[in-house]
Amino acid sequence: MGENEKINEMNSKSQLTSVSKFLSLVLRHEPHRIGITLDEAGWTLVDELLLKAAAVGRPISRDLLDEIVAGSDKQRFAFSEDGLCIRSNQGHSIEIDLDLPTVEPPDVLFHGTALRFIESILKSGLERRERHHVHLTQDRQTAAAVGQRYGQPVILRIDARAMSARGHQFRCSANSVWLTDAVPVEFIQVDP
Ligand code: HQG
């Protein structure tokens, strides 16, 4: 690959990341920022989203949007069956109901966090903080990457089977993020 092609590829990747972050912001946290509304399940009209984004100086082509929805490493967003609406698959802080059924979790789930949070987590368990749920993953690698966002990563191993046996409920988002209300300390082990 030539130098120019490399630069073009880097530019288009950083454009994808930047638009994806913008979409996370308006589809999970602050739709009012660009004057869109989400329905009770988090959906908004694609055409309106694109118009309003352009109006605030963040134009997104339909092709780019399709690429982000189809190709995002984490499948953060989804189109409705008729293709008219879009929503974030998880991660909201605003009040919406994704309407996911409760399901039996795998025996073990992981949560990636930072070393500086450990003392507090081992006192009060995992809390959902700004989001609707505590986010867990089946994949250790993913947990490590999430933990890395905050500093020195620590991976927590969650005894999901025991939690479920004690009546804690689990849901799984369309992009395979496991969601639960809270994880009490007794189900948490620091993964070596
Ligand atoms: C921590 C990404 C101290 C918790 C990922 C985390 C995820 C505590 C932070 C999604 C605590 C909350 C969500 C306690 C929890 N004391 N700290 N008692 N309880 N914490 O961002 O799970 O890229 O709300 O460990 O894949 O980090 O956005 O949650 O560090 O699915 O699509 O408080 O974000 O997806 O942080 O990340 P967050 P998270 P996207």
Side-chain angles (χ1 to χ4, degrees):
M1 196 189 291
E3 209 44 42
N4 271 339
E5 278 170 312
K6 264 193 214 155
I7 292 170
N8 282 343
E9 192 182 286
M10 265 159 50
N11 280 346
S12 76
K13 264 199 192 139
S14 70
Q15 192 198 8
L16 280 182
T17 307
S18 151
V19 173
S20 175
K21 285 193 170 158
F22 173 75
L23 290 173
S24 289
L25 176 74
V26 298
L27 295 177
R28 293 175 177 176
H29 310 295
E30 300 182 8
H32 53 88
R33 229 180 224 246
I34 62 166
I36 57 168
T37 50
L38 311 185
D39 75 6
E40 68 281 359
W43 297 105
T44 198
L45 285 167
V46 174
D47 286 348
E48 196 180 339
L49 169 72
L50 297 182
L51 278 175
K52 299 266 170 84
V56 297
R58 297 290 311 236
I60 305 166
S61 72
R62 182 62 212 231
D63 283 354
L64 185 63
L65 188 70
D66 289 347
E67 193 179 337
I68 289 171
V69 173
S72 143
D73 51 342
K74 282 191 171 171
Q75 304 280 308
R76 290 186 174 90
F77 312 103
F79 289 127
S80 55
E81 256 165 53
D82 60 11
L84 296 178
C85 294
I86 185 171
R87 78 173 175 187
S88 175
N89 281 326
Q90 36 76 215
H92 301 80
S93 58
I94 51 172
E95 208 42 63
I96 58 124
D97 182 0
L98 287 171
D99 209 16
L100 298 168
T102 59
V103 269
E104 204 50 46
D107 288 355
V108 172
L109 287 167
F110 298 98
H111 177 87
T113 189
L115 187 58
R116 66 177 191 280
F117 300 148
I118 289 299
E119 199 183 321
S120 159
I121 290 173
L122 293 181
K123 253 188 220 140
S124 39
L126 282 171
E127 300 164 344
R128 60 200 185 89
R129 300 281 151 132
E130 304 296 312
R131 306 203 193 231
H132 287 187
H133 302 97
V134 172
H135 286 216
L136 305 170
T137 171
Q138 218 171 334
D139 176 34
R140 220 177 160 283
Q141 281 301 61
T142 303
V146 171
Q148 217 129 34
R149 302 191 303 187
Y150 303 105
Q152 193 177 335
V154 174
I155 296 173
L156 303 176
R157 174 183 279 265
I158 310 301
D159 190 348
R161 185 155 74 147
M163 280 184 71
S164 173
R166 292 271 208 85
H168 291 268
Q169 292 192 327
F170 290 82
R171 293 179 163 78
C172 186
S173 75
N175 59 338
S176 305
V177 176
W178 284 88
L179 308 166
T180 194
D181 289 340
V183 181
V185 184
E186 65 209 271
F187 303 108
I188 301 174
Q189 241 188 329
V190 178
D191 206 52

